[in-house]
Amino acid sequence: MEEPKYRIRALHTDRTVTVYQAYRPAIGRPAARDGRFPAEWKRDRMTWIKPSFLWMMYRCGWGTKEGQETVLAVEITREGFEWALRNACLSHYERGFHPDQAAWKRELRQAPARVQWDPERDAHLRPLPYRSLQLGLSGEASRRYADEWTVSVTDVTALAHEVHGLVRSGDLEAAARLLPRETPYPEPEGLLDHLRVQPPATPKLKSPVPSTP
């Protein structure tokens, strides 16, 4: 079955969903130790969360990029995750999807969350033909994420390095066995309607009117 272009795939339970972030050790290690983000974590800044482990590996270079050496798996409530999605807008203007650029900019200023759909990645971090959700949280959403929605924080840096080592050695089967089991998220009906850009419908050709003899 062909993978749809826009769909959330994530590790989830009936109550939570796991997202990924990467930080410098001064932030990431206390967060994992205490199960919550430290006071140093700026709650007034936008933060991006990613349900895709491999997209996070693409973004942080398997935990090797400066300032992203500590990779975190953050388990949050599905209630909070869906609140953010319902109150999000697209991070970019789409002609034909938004009424006009001015309307999109107003929505962007007011929304506490925003969504980007970026190409999903394979184990070699090459782009795939379908998209992965990136969810940006600011203002109220950022504060709720840190102080209300977070259920657990786990340091998965060692996992990132182990998977990377297996990929580099060519053992993709062993690498795949270690990856988090991300399955389609059971989104409530209409949850992503305002965030999922659909291609314009192809107009049906009218049947030719038979000529009168």
PDB file of all heavy atoms in Angstrom, residues 98-128:
ATOM      1  N   HIS A  98      -4.574  28.857   1.361  1.00  0.00           N
ATOM      2  CA  HIS A  98      -4.920  30.017   2.176  1.00  0.00           C
ATOM      3  C   HIS A  98      -5.650  31.034   1.296  1.00  0.00           C
ATOM      4  O   HIS A  98      -5.374  31.128   0.098  1.00  0.00           O
ATOM      5  CB  HIS A  98      -3.652  30.663   2.748  1.00  0.00           C
ATOM      6  CG  HIS A  98      -2.884  29.750   3.654  1.00  0.00           C
ATOM      7  ND1 HIS A  98      -1.691  29.141   3.281  1.00  0.00           N
ATOM      8  CD2 HIS A  98      -3.126  29.341   4.922  1.00  0.00           C
ATOM      9  CE1 HIS A  98      -1.241  28.413   4.277  1.00  0.00           C
ATOM     10  NE2 HIS A  98      -2.087  28.508   5.287  1.00  0.00           N
ATOM     11  N   PRO A  99      -6.565  31.823   1.878  1.00  0.00           N
ATOM     12  CA  PRO A  99      -7.274  32.836   1.085  1.00  0.00           C
ATOM     13  C   PRO A  99      -6.311  33.793   0.386  1.00  0.00           C
ATOM     14  O   PRO A  99      -6.478  34.125  -0.782  1.00  0.00           O
ATOM     15  CB  PRO A  99      -8.146  33.561   2.114  1.00  0.00           C
ATOM     16  CG  PRO A  99      -8.315  32.586   3.234  1.00  0.00           C
ATOM     17  CD  PRO A  99      -7.053  31.783   3.273  1.00  0.00           C
ATOM     18  N   ASP A 100      -5.291  34.261   1.119  1.00  0.00           N
ATOM     19  CA  ASP A 100      -4.260  35.135   0.562  1.00  0.00           C
ATOM     20  C   ASP A 100      -3.116  35.217   1.577  1.00  0.00           C
ATOM     21  O   ASP A 100      -3.222  34.704   2.687  1.00  0.00           O
ATOM     22  CB  ASP A 100      -4.812  36.536   0.239  1.00  0.00           C
ATOM     23  CG  ASP A 100      -5.551  37.153   1.415  1.00  0.00           C
ATOM     24  OD1 ASP A 100      -4.987  37.153   2.530  1.00  0.00           O
ATOM     25  OD2 ASP A 100      -6.685  37.622   1.240  1.00  0.00           O
ATOM     26  N   GLN A 101      -2.032  35.875   1.182  1.00  0.00           N
ATOM     27  CA  GLN A 101      -0.866  35.941   2.078  1.00  0.00           C
ATOM     28  C   GLN A 101      -1.163  36.715   3.358  1.00  0.00           C
ATOM     29  O   GLN A 101      -0.663  36.370   4.430  1.00  0.00           O
ATOM     30  CB  GLN A 101       0.316  36.573   1.342  1.00  0.00           C
ATOM     31  CG  GLN A 101       1.006  35.626   0.377  1.00  0.00           C
ATOM     32  CD  GLN A 101       2.442  36.065   0.089  1.00  0.00           C
ATOM     33  OE1 GLN A 101       2.911  37.077   0.599  1.00  0.00           O
ATOM     34  NE2 GLN A 101       3.128  35.289  -0.726  1.00  0.00           N
ATOM     35  N   ALA A 102      -1.967  37.760   3.253  1.00  0.00           N
ATOM     36  CA  ALA A 102      -2.284  38.563   4.437  1.00  0.00           C
ATOM     37  C   ALA A 102      -3.038  37.721   5.465  1.00  0.00           C
ATOM     38  O   ALA A 102      -2.769  37.791   6.671  1.00  0.00           O
ATOM     39  CB  ALA A 102      -3.106  39.784   4.040  1.00  0.00           C
ATOM     40  N   ALA A 103      -3.974  36.889   5.001  1.00  0.00           N
ATOM     41  CA  ALA A 103      -4.735  36.029   5.913  1.00  0.00           C
ATOM     42  C   ALA A 103      -3.816  35.004   6.572  1.00  0.00           C
ATOM     43  O   ALA A 103      -3.921  34.738   7.777  1.00  0.00           O
ATOM     44  CB  ALA A 103      -5.850  35.324   5.152  1.00  0.00           C
ATOM     45  N   TRP A 104      -2.887  34.431   5.792  1.00  0.00           N
ATOM     46  CA  TRP A 104      -1.943  33.471   6.357  1.00  0.00           C
ATOM     47  C   TRP A 104      -1.044  34.135   7.398  1.00  0.00           C
ATOM     48  O   TRP A 104      -0.799  33.571   8.472  1.00  0.00           O
ATOM     49  CB  TRP A 104      -1.088  32.862   5.246  1.00  0.00           C
ATOM     50  CG  TRP A 104       0.114  32.135   5.777  1.00  0.00           C
ATOM     51  CD1 TRP A 104       0.128  30.945   6.448  1.00  0.00           C
ATOM     52  CD2 TRP A 104       1.468  32.595   5.733  1.00  0.00           C
ATOM     53  NE1 TRP A 104       1.421  30.628   6.812  1.00  0.00           N
ATOM     54  CE2 TRP A 104       2.260  31.614   6.387  1.00  0.00           C
ATOM     55  CE3 TRP A 104       2.096  33.718   5.184  1.00  0.00           C
ATOM     56  CZ2 TRP A 104       3.648  31.748   6.512  1.00  0.00           C
ATOM     57  CZ3 TRP A 104       3.472  33.846   5.312  1.00  0.00           C
ATOM     58  CH2 TRP A 104       4.222  32.864   5.963  1.00  0.00           C
ATOM     59  N   LYS A 105      -0.560  35.347   7.141  1.00  0.00           N
ATOM     60  CA  LYS A 105       0.312  36.039   8.091  1.00  0.00           C
ATOM     61  C   LYS A 105      -0.425  36.354   9.391  1.00  0.00           C
ATOM     62  O   LYS A 105       0.154  36.264  10.482  1.00  0.00           O
ATOM     63  CB  LYS A 105       0.863  37.321   7.469  1.00  0.00           C
ATOM     64  CG  LYS A 105       1.924  37.061   6.409  1.00  0.00           C
ATOM     65  CD  LYS A 105       2.447  38.356   5.800  1.00  0.00           C
ATOM     66  CE  LYS A 105       3.523  38.078   4.759  1.00  0.00           C
ATOM     67  NZ  LYS A 105       4.016  39.323   4.134  1.00  0.00           N
ATOM     68  N   ARG A 106      -1.702  36.717   9.294  1.00  0.00           N
ATOM     69  CA  ARG A 106      -2.491  36.966  10.512  1.00  0.00           C
ATOM     70  C   ARG A 106      -2.602  35.677  11.332  1.00  0.00           C
ATOM     71  O   ARG A 106      -2.447  35.680  12.550  1.00  0.00           O
ATOM     72  CB  ARG A 106      -3.879  37.488  10.154  1.00  0.00           C
ATOM     73  CG  ARG A 106      -3.923  38.945   9.721  1.00  0.00           C
ATOM     74  CD  ARG A 106      -5.343  39.483   9.730  1.00  0.00           C
ATOM     75  NE  ARG A 106      -6.214  38.733   8.837  1.00  0.00           N
ATOM     76  CZ  ARG A 106      -6.376  39.020   7.531  1.00  0.00           C
ATOM     77  NH1 ARG A 106      -5.707  40.036   6.995  1.00  0.00           N
ATOM     78  NH2 ARG A 106      -7.195  38.309   6.792  1.00  0.00           N
ATOM     79  N   GLU A 107      -2.878  34.585  10.638  1.00  0.00           N
ATOM     80  CA  GLU A 107      -2.995  33.293  11.313  1.00  0.00           C
ATOM     81  C   GLU A 107      -1.676  32.895  11.973  1.00  0.00           C
ATOM     82  O   GLU A 107      -1.648  32.418  13.108  1.00  0.00           O
ATOM     83  CB  GLU A 107      -3.420  32.233  10.281  1.00  0.00           C
ATOM     84  CG  GLU A 107      -3.741  30.882  10.870  1.00  0.00           C
ATOM     85  CD  GLU A 107      -4.149  29.871   9.810  1.00  0.00           C
ATOM     86  OE1 GLU A 107      -4.153  30.226   8.608  1.00  0.00           O
ATOM     87  OE2 GLU A 107      -4.438  28.724  10.193  1.00  0.00           O
ATOM     88  N   LEU A 108      -0.576  33.147  11.270  1.00  0.00           N
ATOM     89  CA  LEU A 108       0.748  32.798  11.785  1.00  0.00           C
ATOM     90  C   LEU A 108       1.067  33.585  13.055  1.00  0.00           C
ATOM     91  O   LEU A 108       1.640  33.046  14.004  1.00  0.00           O
ATOM     92  CB  LEU A 108       1.795  33.064  10.708  1.00  0.00           C
ATOM     93  CG  LEU A 108       3.202  32.520  10.955  1.00  0.00           C
ATOM     94  CD1 LEU A 108       3.204  31.004  10.932  1.00  0.00           C
ATOM     95  CD2 LEU A 108       4.176  33.058   9.901  1.00  0.00           C
ATOM     96  N   ARG A 109       0.695  34.872  13.077  1.00  0.00           N
ATOM     97  CA  ARG A 109       0.966  35.706  14.255  1.00  0.00           C
ATOM     98  C   ARG A 109       0.165  35.244  15.470  1.00  0.00           C
ATOM     99  O   ARG A 109       0.637  35.340  16.606  1.00  0.00           O
ATOM    100  CB  ARG A 109       0.637  37.171  13.955  1.00  0.00           C
ATOM    101  CG  ARG A 109       1.651  37.877  13.078  1.00  0.00           C
ATOM    102  CD  ARG A 109       1.454  39.373  13.121  1.00  0.00           C
ATOM    103  NE  ARG A 109       0.143  39.762  12.620  1.00  0.00           N
ATOM    104  CZ  ARG A 109      -0.119  40.067  11.351  1.00  0.00           C
ATOM    105  NH1 ARG A 109       0.852  40.040  10.454  1.00  0.00           N
ATOM    106  NH2 ARG A 109      -1.331  40.418  10.974  1.00  0.00           N
ATOM    107  N   GLN A 110      -1.022  34.736  15.237  1.00  0.00           N
ATOM    108  CA  GLN A 110      -1.924  34.394  16.336  1.00  0.00           C
ATOM    109  C   GLN A 110      -1.760  32.962  16.830  1.00  0.00           C
ATOM    110  O   GLN A 110      -2.032  32.668  17.994  1.00  0.00           O
ATOM    111  CB  GLN A 110      -3.381  34.621  15.900  1.00  0.00           C
ATOM    112  CG  GLN A 110      -3.697  36.070  15.590  1.00  0.00           C
ATOM    113  CD  GLN A 110      -5.040  36.240  14.879  1.00  0.00           C
ATOM    114  OE1 GLN A 110      -5.763  35.269  14.651  1.00  0.00           O
ATOM    115  NE2 GLN A 110      -5.362  37.464  14.519  1.00  0.00           N
ATOM    116  N   ALA A 111      -1.308  32.056  15.969  1.00  0.00           N
ATOM    117  CA  ALA A 111      -1.262  30.632  16.316  1.00  0.00           C
ATOM    118  C   ALA A 111      -0.118  30.335  17.281  1.00  0.00           C
ATOM    119  O   ALA A 111       1.007  30.792  17.076  1.00  0.00           O
ATOM    120  CB  ALA A 111      -1.120  29.798  15.054  1.00  0.00           C
ATOM    121  N   PRO A 112      -0.370  29.534  18.329  1.00  0.00           N
ATOM    122  CA  PRO A 112       0.703  29.160  19.253  1.00  0.00           C
ATOM    123  C   PRO A 112       1.544  27.986  18.747  1.00  0.00           C
ATOM    124  O   PRO A 112       2.486  27.572  19.417  1.00  0.00           O
ATOM    125  CB  PRO A 112      -0.064  28.760  20.520  1.00  0.00           C
ATOM    126  CG  PRO A 112      -1.363  28.228  19.997  1.00  0.00           C
ATOM    127  CD  PRO A 112      -1.680  29.050  18.771  1.00  0.00           C
ATOM    128  N   ALA A 113       1.182  27.445  17.580  1.00  0.00           N
ATOM    129  CA  ALA A 113       1.937  26.316  17.024  1.00  0.00           C
ATOM    130  C   ALA A 113       1.931  26.427  15.507  1.00  0.00           C
ATOM    131  O   ALA A 113       1.049  27.045  14.912  1.00  0.00           O
ATOM    132  CB  ALA A 113       1.321  24.986  17.460  1.00  0.00           C
ATOM    133  N   ARG A 114       2.944  25.836  14.890  1.00  0.00           N
ATOM    134  CA  ARG A 114       3.002  25.816  13.428  1.00  0.00           C
ATOM    135  C   ARG A 114       3.551  24.493  12.946  1.00  0.00           C
ATOM    136  O   ARG A 114       4.269  23.802  13.683  1.00  0.00           O
ATOM    137  CB  ARG A 114       3.845  26.976  12.905  1.00  0.00           C
ATOM    138  CG  ARG A 114       5.278  27.000  13.375  1.00  0.00           C
ATOM    139  CD  ARG A 114       5.976  28.283  12.972  1.00  0.00           C
ATOM    140  NE  ARG A 114       5.362  29.472  13.559  1.00  0.00           N
ATOM    141  CZ  ARG A 114       5.809  30.706  13.402  1.00  0.00           C
ATOM    142  NH1 ARG A 114       6.897  30.912  12.670  1.00  0.00           N
ATOM    143  NH2 ARG A 114       5.203  31.736  13.958  1.00  0.00           N
ATOM    144  N   VAL A 115       3.197  24.151  11.728  1.00  0.00           N
ATOM    145  CA  VAL A 115       3.536  22.832  11.175  1.00  0.00           C
ATOM    146  C   VAL A 115       4.319  22.971   9.882  1.00  0.00           C
ATOM    147  O   VAL A 115       4.006  23.807   9.037  1.00  0.00           O
ATOM    148  CB  VAL A 115       2.250  22.011  10.934  1.00  0.00           C
ATOM    149  CG1 VAL A 115       2.474  20.881   9.937  1.00  0.00           C
ATOM    150  CG2 VAL A 115       1.722  21.456  12.248  1.00  0.00           C
ATOM    151  N   GLN A 116       5.358  22.153   9.770  1.00  0.00           N
ATOM    152  CA  GLN A 116       6.071  21.955   8.513  1.00  0.00           C
ATOM    153  C   GLN A 116       5.974  20.474   8.145  1.00  0.00           C
ATOM    154  O   GLN A 116       6.033  19.615   9.026  1.00  0.00           O
ATOM    155  CB  GLN A 116       7.551  22.322   8.640  1.00  0.00           C
ATOM    156  CG  GLN A 116       7.820  23.781   8.780  1.00  0.00           C
ATOM    157  CD  GLN A 116       9.305  24.107   8.864  1.00  0.00           C
ATOM    158  OE1 GLN A 116       9.660  25.250   9.128  1.00  0.00           O
ATOM    159  NE2 GLN A 116      10.168  23.123   8.643  1.00  0.00           N
ATOM    160  N   TRP A 117       5.835  20.215   6.853  1.00  0.00           N
ATOM    161  CA  TRP A 117       5.876  18.834   6.358  1.00  0.00           C
ATOM    162  C   TRP A 117       7.156  18.695   5.536  1.00  0.00           C
ATOM    163  O   TRP A 117       7.253  19.233   4.448  1.00  0.00           O
ATOM    164  CB  TRP A 117       4.662  18.536   5.495  1.00  0.00           C
ATOM    165  CG  TRP A 117       3.346  18.544   6.218  1.00  0.00           C
ATOM    166  CD1 TRP A 117       2.445  19.559   6.267  1.00  0.00           C
ATOM    167  CD2 TRP A 117       2.780  17.466   6.978  1.00  0.00           C
ATOM    168  NE1 TRP A 117       1.348  19.196   7.014  1.00  0.00           N
ATOM    169  CE2 TRP A 117       1.527  17.909   7.459  1.00  0.00           C
ATOM    170  CE3 TRP A 117       3.216  16.173   7.291  1.00  0.00           C
ATOM    171  CZ2 TRP A 117       0.701  17.102   8.237  1.00  0.00           C
ATOM    172  CZ3 TRP A 117       2.398  15.370   8.081  1.00  0.00           C
ATOM    173  CH2 TRP A 117       1.153  15.834   8.536  1.00  0.00           C
ATOM    174  N   ASP A 118       8.135  18.005   6.080  1.00  0.00           N
ATOM    175  CA  ASP A 118       9.419  17.834   5.403  1.00  0.00           C
ATOM    176  C   ASP A 118       9.592  16.385   4.973  1.00  0.00           C
ATOM    177  O   ASP A 118       9.026  15.479   5.594  1.00  0.00           O
ATOM    178  CB  ASP A 118      10.557  18.241   6.335  1.00  0.00           C
ATOM    179  CG  ASP A 118      10.510  19.720   6.673  1.00  0.00           C
ATOM    180  OD1 ASP A 118      10.446  20.532   5.740  1.00  0.00           O
ATOM    181  OD2 ASP A 118      10.527  20.059   7.874  1.00  0.00           O
ATOM    182  N   PRO A 119      10.374  16.128   3.936  1.00  0.00           N
ATOM    183  CA  PRO A 119      10.544  14.746   3.472  1.00  0.00           C
ATOM    184  C   PRO A 119      11.033  13.821   4.585  1.00  0.00           C
ATOM    185  O   PRO A 119      11.995  14.135   5.282  1.00  0.00           O
ATOM    186  CB  PRO A 119      11.590  14.873   2.362  1.00  0.00           C
ATOM    187  CG  PRO A 119      11.436  16.272   1.858  1.00  0.00           C
ATOM    188  CD  PRO A 119      11.090  17.088   3.062  1.00  0.00           C
ATOM    189  N   GLU A 120      10.331  12.713   4.754  1.00  0.00           N
ATOM    190  CA  GLU A 120      10.791  11.682   5.684  1.00  0.00           C
ATOM    191  C   GLU A 120      12.136  11.139   5.203  1.00  0.00           C
ATOM    192  O   GLU A 120      12.504  11.329   4.041  1.00  0.00           O
ATOM    193  CB  GLU A 120       9.736  10.569   5.768  1.00  0.00           C
ATOM    194  CG  GLU A 120      10.045   9.443   6.730  1.00  0.00           C
ATOM    195  CD  GLU A 120      10.235   9.912   8.166  1.00  0.00           C
ATOM    196  OE1 GLU A 120      11.339  10.447   8.451  1.00  0.00           O
ATOM    197  OE2 GLU A 120       9.319   9.726   8.988  1.00  0.00           O
ATOM    198  N   ARG A 121      12.874  10.489   6.083  1.00  0.00           N
ATOM    199  CA  ARG A 121      14.222  10.008   5.769  1.00  0.00           C
ATOM    200  C   ARG A 121      14.330   8.502   5.957  1.00  0.00           C
ATOM    201  O   ARG A 121      13.652   7.924   6.818  1.00  0.00           O
ATOM    202  CB  ARG A 121      15.235  10.702   6.688  1.00  0.00           C
ATOM    203  CG  ARG A 121      15.215  12.220   6.580  1.00  0.00           C
ATOM    204  CD  ARG A 121      15.892  12.712   5.321  1.00  0.00           C
ATOM    205  NE  ARG A 121      15.467  14.051   4.958  1.00  0.00           N
ATOM    206  CZ  ARG A 121      16.096  14.806   4.059  1.00  0.00           C
ATOM    207  NH1 ARG A 121      17.192  14.356   3.446  1.00  0.00           N
ATOM    208  NH2 ARG A 121      15.642  16.004   3.751  1.00  0.00           N
ATOM    209  N   ASP A 122      15.213   7.883   5.148  1.00  0.00           N
ATOM    210  CA  ASP A 122      15.511   6.472   5.346  1.00  0.00           C
ATOM    211  C   ASP A 122      16.718   6.347   6.271  1.00  0.00           C
ATOM    212  O   ASP A 122      17.216   7.352   6.811  1.00  0.00           O
ATOM    213  CB  ASP A 122      15.729   5.758   4.008  1.00  0.00           C
ATOM    214  CG  ASP A 122      16.974   6.226   3.255  1.00  0.00           C
ATOM    215  OD1 ASP A 122      17.803   6.980   3.830  1.00  0.00           O
ATOM    216  OD2 ASP A 122      17.119   5.854   2.077  1.00  0.00           O
ATOM    217  N   ALA A 123      17.212   5.131   6.473  1.00  0.00           N
ATOM    218  CA  ALA A 123      18.302   4.918   7.418  1.00  0.00           C
ATOM    219  C   ALA A 123      19.592   5.623   7.005  1.00  0.00           C
ATOM    220  O   ALA A 123      20.430   5.938   7.851  1.00  0.00           O
ATOM    221  CB  ALA A 123      18.555   3.426   7.593  1.00  0.00           C
ATOM    222  N   HIS A 124      19.743   5.886   5.708  1.00  0.00           N
ATOM    223  CA  HIS A 124      20.902   6.643   5.233  1.00  0.00           C
ATOM    224  C   HIS A 124      20.631   8.147   5.246  1.00  0.00           C
ATOM    225  O   HIS A 124      21.450   8.925   4.759  1.00  0.00           O
ATOM    226  CB  HIS A 124      21.278   6.197   3.819  1.00  0.00           C
ATOM    227  CG  HIS A 124      21.853   4.811   3.753  1.00  0.00           C
ATOM    228  ND1 HIS A 124      23.114   4.514   4.216  1.00  0.00           N
ATOM    229  CD2 HIS A 124      21.339   3.634   3.290  1.00  0.00           C
ATOM    230  CE1 HIS A 124      23.362   3.220   4.029  1.00  0.00           C
ATOM    231  NE2 HIS A 124      22.305   2.661   3.478  1.00  0.00           N
ATOM    232  N   LEU A 125      19.459   8.527   5.781  1.00  0.00           N
ATOM    233  CA  LEU A 125      19.007   9.918   5.888  1.00  0.00           C
ATOM    234  C   LEU A 125      18.746  10.551   4.522  1.00  0.00           C
ATOM    235  O   LEU A 125      18.780  11.769   4.372  1.00  0.00           O
ATOM    236  CB  LEU A 125      19.995  10.763   6.703  1.00  0.00           C
ATOM    237  CG  LEU A 125      20.347  10.198   8.088  1.00  0.00           C
ATOM    238  CD1 LEU A 125      21.212  11.177   8.869  1.00  0.00           C
ATOM    239  CD2 LEU A 125      19.090   9.846   8.878  1.00  0.00           C
ATOM    240  N   ARG A 126      18.435   9.708   3.548  1.00  0.00           N
ATOM    241  CA  ARG A 126      18.054  10.206   2.228  1.00  0.00           C
ATOM    242  C   ARG A 126      16.560  10.510   2.230  1.00  0.00           C
ATOM    243  O   ARG A 126      15.785   9.816   2.903  1.00  0.00           O
ATOM    244  CB  ARG A 126      18.378   9.165   1.155  1.00  0.00           C
ATOM    245  CG  ARG A 126      19.864   8.865   1.023  1.00  0.00           C
ATOM    246  CD  ARG A 126      20.138   7.717   0.084  1.00  0.00           C
ATOM    247  NE  ARG A 126      19.483   6.489   0.539  1.00  0.00           N
ATOM    248  CZ  ARG A 126      19.883   5.261   0.201  1.00  0.00           C
ATOM    249  NH1 ARG A 126      20.919   5.097  -0.612  1.00  0.00           N
ATOM    250  NH2 ARG A 126      19.238   4.198   0.651  1.00  0.00           N
ATOM    251  N   PRO A 127      16.116  11.533   1.488  1.00  0.00           N
ATOM    252  CA  PRO A 127      14.691  11.891   1.491  1.00  0.00           C
ATOM    253  C   PRO A 127      13.827  10.823   0.843  1.00  0.00           C
ATOM    254  O   PRO A 127      14.214  10.208  -0.156  1.00  0.00           O
ATOM    255  CB  PRO A 127      14.645  13.202   0.700  1.00  0.00           C
ATOM    256  CG  PRO A 127      15.879  13.183  -0.147  1.00  0.00           C
ATOM    257  CD  PRO A 127      16.918  12.441   0.639  1.00  0.00           C
ATOM    258  N   LEU A 128      12.661  10.611   1.412  1.00  0.00           N
ATOM    259  CA  LEU A 128      11.657   9.694   0.884  1.00  0.00           C
ATOM    260  C   LEU A 128      10.538  10.507   0.233  1.00  0.00           C
ATOM    261  O   LEU A 128      10.416  11.715   0.470  1.00  0.00           O
ATOM    262  CB  LEU A 128      11.114   8.820   2.016  1.00  0.00           C
ATOM    263  CG  LEU A 128      12.140   7.844   2.628  1.00  0.00           C
ATOM    264  CD1 LEU A 128      11.596   7.219   3.915  1.00  0.00           C
ATOM    265  CD2 LEU A 128      12.525   6.775   1.622  1.00  0.00           C
TER     266      LEU A 128
END
